Amino acid sequence: MTSLFAKADDGRIDDIFDPSKVPGSSVYMASNGTDLGMQAIFAGSFFLVFILLFSALRLRWPFIFSPRTRLTITSPPYLSRKFFGWFLATMRTPETYILNTLGLDTVVFLRFYKMCMRLLLDVAFFSIVIIWPINIYWSKVNLDAGREASDGDLALPPAYSVTDYLFNLTLNTSDPKQQWYLVPHIVFVYIFSALAYYHISKFSSRWASLRWHFLMQSRHALVSRTVMLTGVPRHLAKSPRELEWFWSSGLQLGKIERVRVCPFNTRLTSSAKERATCLVRLEHAYMRLLGNPCKHPDYDPQRLRALAVDPSEEARTEERRLLEAWAKPSRQPRTKQIGDEEESAARHAREKTPGCDETAELVSNAAEAHGPVKRPRAWVWTGSGLHLPWKRVDAIDYWREKFLAADRDVAQLRASILRGEDDYGRSTTAFVTFEDAATAHMATQLSCYPNPGFMKARLAPEPRGVYWPNVWIPSHRRWAGRAAKWTFLTVIWAFWSVPVILASSLLTPASLGKL
């Protein structure tokens, strides 16, 4: 951003590549300190706009901006429904809760921000208390000298204003007799560097202590005792028993609980994705019929879930009856309605004599009084002919059948992989689980194979932190991808930085003043 207080002086500037006129350079920043005011205005404006926007949207869509509130065990503390009620609740959240629910990385990330805030507050304190008064004093001296010169010669008015002397360090040192004015700034460079070293070293020591306590607390967890191996040789990946012997009796690091080589089976991933898609469509069909949430007083999600995964005809009949009773009012027919007295009597009888037969009878009576409900429908591709390639079917029944078929397919694939009967081979990634976490940490610090490019060990991430499609990529494809990435970045840097520097130099106040 070009300074609003910058002045073009064509008589003293002949080169458009002068560093003092290139925005972003150190000399330019020292000569244009008033840009900080504009930056503060823009930053403060964006801060207020986004804080107000977040506070308003949080109340409008709470489950989008606070998704973890749906969890039952690791749900966050209650957030007030007031406009700024989230701020204090977020600041008061204990660090131990964040560590146990979100993990170590989140706590370290928040601590890093706190460390930067403390460092900037210390720097701001010394700048306002010591450096700023020095700037004000020497600015006053230079302004008085400029006024005396202008009084002696009316043709020479003062060239700079108060803001220029307060923010521009080069003007205050223009007089050779006052160049010692930079001595406090040079001294405080070392003071600020010492403050940065102190805060960073303190943060590093606390991070090491926090990590040690976290690992000691979670040393019995499966993730803490598991090592992920990448670049496993083919002859060991094809024989998991040999790989297990290599890590147990071969290296003799410690007792191994199990060794798993990831199968090179893309069909399992595609089947799992298809099952997840069918489940989402099935839940959406239920939501269209029952509402979200279902407001019927007798709605039982556990019972509905058990009936949905049961493929028997009895379960289908019972599910249809319950869905007809639990359907939202917009799905109910308008011809017949159950009276308030009949509905209260049916609920009272159900509470007094609970049971499957009685409940089924009461629901049947309610269904007869209501009539058939408007179940959601879906268009599916049949491919049976050119005239009727699409068919309109019941959405709940269709997606349930698709989900149950995909679930059976995934179960069969998993069973075949565990028995070693899959015909898709093995990948070069494996997971080794030890009986104690200390052995796993020692294994990550060793070179476990004669060829350093193979058998690289590191602590295994959480299952949700693994992008499983990348597990099946061979080693030569990974190296080719990395080489292509760095080549592309180098080409962009070479053919982008030079034009940007030339364009920024041509757009300086000095070059624009010559036009």
Side-chain angles (χ1 to χ4, degrees):
M1 182 190 300
T2 306
S3 174
L4 297 178
F5 300 95
K7 298 177 175 60
D9 193 350
D10 298 336
R12 293 184 297 172
I13 300 176
D14 299 326
D15 189 3
I16 62 175
F17 296 100
D18 185 1
S20 62
K21 302 301 178 181
V22 178
S25 62
S26 301
V27 182
Y28 177 86
M29 296 300 293
S31 303
N32 296 274
T34 50
D35 289 347
L36 297 176
M38 297 302 299
Q39 293 178 12
I41 293 174
F42 277 100
S45 302
F46 282 115
F47 172 79
L48 292 177
V49 169
F50 286 115
I51 286 294
L52 295 176
L53 185 63
F54 173 79
S55 300
L57 295 179
R58 182 187 70 89
L59 300 178
R60 178 63 179 84
W61 294 289
F63 290 120
I64 295 179
F65 290 88
S66 301
R68 295 184 64 86
T69 54
R70 296 187 177 185
L71 301 177
T72 56
I73 300 177
T74 59
S75 60
Y78 172 75
L79 296 179
S80 176
R81 296 292 297 174
K82 296 181 180 179
F83 195 76
F84 291 108
W86 60 273
F87 187 78
L88 292 179
T90 304
M91 296 298 294
R92 293 171 181 174
T93 302
E95 198 172 72
T96 55
Y97 171 81
I98 301 176
L99 182 65
N100 295 329
T101 56
L102 300 180
L104 180 63
D105 295 338
T106 306
V107 177
V108 173
F109 182 76
L110 295 176
R111 282 195 174 188
F112 177 77
Y113 268 98
K114 292 180 181 179
M115 183 270 295
C116 294
M117 181 179 64
R118 295 189 186 98
L119 175 60
L120 293 178
L121 288 177
D122 292 344
V123 172
F125 172 78
F126 287 105
S127 300
I128 295 174
V129 174
I130 299 178
I131 298 179
W132 192 260
I134 295 177
N135 283 10
I136 294 176
Y137 174 77
W138 286 108
S139 299
K140 183 177 182 302
V141 172
N142 290 337
L143 284 175
D144 293 340
R147 291 191 183 94
E148 293 177 359
S150 62
D151 293 339
D153 189 357
L154 298 177
L156 296 175
Y160 301 101
S161 62
V162 178
T163 56
D164 293 319
Y165 281 107
L166 290 178
F167 291 96
N168 196 331
L169 299 179
T170 58
L171 293 178
N172 291 328
T173 58
S174 58
D175 189 355
K177 298 180 181 179
Q178 300 176 359
Q179 289 186 359
W180 66 271
Y181 160 79
L182 287 178
V183 172
H185 294 79
I186 297 175
V187 172
F188 273 95
V189 167
Y190 292 95
I191 294 177
F192 293 157
S193 300
L195 286 174
Y197 175 78
Y198 168 75
H199 284 283
I200 293 175
S201 61
K202 187 176 181 180
F203 168 77
S204 302
S205 61
R206 289 184 175 181
W207 171 80
S209 176
L210 178 65
R211 183 174 183 271
W212 183 83
H213 285 87
F214 178 76
L215 292 176
M216 289 297 295
Q217 184 180 1
S218 61
R219 63 185 182 274
H220 298 298
L222 184 64
V223 178
S224 302
R225 298 182 289 110
T226 304
V227 173
M228 185 173 72
L229 303 178
T230 55
V232 179
R234 288 294 181 181
H235 67 279
L236 293 177
K238 293 180 180 179
S239 180
R241 294 184 179 275
E242 295 183 6
L243 182 62
E244 185 176 356
W245 177 89
F246 178 84
W247 279 91
S248 59
S249 302
L251 296 178
Q252 297 182 356
L253 292 177
K255 294 183 179 181
I256 293 179
E257 184 175 317
R258 63 180 176 179
V259 176
R260 295 295 186 205
V261 180
C262 296
F264 192 78
N265 194 338
T266 56
R267 184 184 172 189
L268 178 62
T269 304
S270 60
S271 299
K273 290 182 179 179
E274 182 181 359
R275 184 183 64 173
T277 302
C278 295
L279 180 59
V280 171
R281 298 291 181 85
L282 179 60
E283 291 177 347
H284 182 69
Y286 279 124
M287 183 269 295
R288 290 170 57 189
L289 178 61
L290 304 178
N292 187 18
C294 181
K295 298 182 180 179
H296 197 276
D298 298 330
Y299 173 67
D300 187 0
Q302 301 296 334
R303 188 177 182 185
L304 181 60
R305 184 183 299 111
L307 293 174
V309 298
D310 190 353
S312 62
E313 290 297 332
E314 294 80 3
R316 299 285 73 77
T317 304
E318 182 71 13
E319 183 193 33
R320 291 191 188 97
R321 292 175 178 176
L322 291 176
L323 291 179
E324 288 177 356
W326 296 343
K328 59 184 180 181
S330 61
R331 289 284 177 176
Q332 297 284 356
R334 298 182 179 179
T335 58
K336 295 182 180 180
Q337 299 290 338
I338 296 181
D340 295 338
E341 298 180 357
E342 296 178 359
E343 185 176 359
S344 60
R347 186 180 300 108
H348 180 68
R350 188 184 299 112
E351 292 175 355
K352 289 185 64 177
T353 57
C356 298
D357 297 337
E358 292 81 356
T359 304
E361 182 179 358
L362 289 174
V363 173
S364 178
N365 296 334
E368 292 177 358
H370 277 272
V373 298
K374 301 176 182 179
R375 294 170 64 92
R377 312 283 288 180
W379 289 97
V380 297
W381 174 263
T382 59
S384 58
L386 297 177
H387 298 286
L388 296 174
W390 294 88
K391 184 179 178 181
R392 190 171 176 82
V393 298
D394 187 273
I396 295 178
D397 294 338
Y398 176 77
W399 289 115
R400 184 196 300 107
E401 294 177 1
K402 297 281 289 184
F403 169 73
L404 293 177
D407 186 66
R408 289 192 298 266
D409 191 12
V410 171
Q412 293 175 0
L413 288 174
R414 284 180 173 176
S416 63
I417 290 172
L418 292 177
R419 292 193 302 265
E421 299 175 358
D422 59 308
D423 299 329
Y424 297 92
R426 301 281 178 172
S427 65
T428 58
T429 304
F431 292 89
V432 180
T433 303
F434 295 90
E435 291 188 357
D436 59 308
T439 307
H441 284 77
M442 287 190 295
T444 58
Q445 302 174 18
L446 300 177
S447 180
C448 304
Y449 200 73
N451 191 338
F454 292 88
M455 201 78 75
K456 295 182 179 180
R458 66 184 184 92
L459 290 177
E462 294 279 351
R464 60 186 178 183
V466 179
Y467 187 64
W468 295 103
N470 286 348
V471 172
W472 304 317
I473 299 178
S475 301
H476 61 277
R477 289 185 57 186
R478 293 179 184 176
W479 284 105
R482 292 173 184 172
K485 178 188 68 175
W486 285 109
T487 303
F488 182 71
L489 292 177
T490 304
V491 171
I492 290 179
W493 176 83
F495 290 95
W496 180 260
S497 59
V498 176
V500 168
I501 294 175
L502 292 176
S504 62
S505 301
L506 293 173
L507 295 176
T508 57
S511 60
L512 294 176
K514 293 182 178 181
L515 297 179

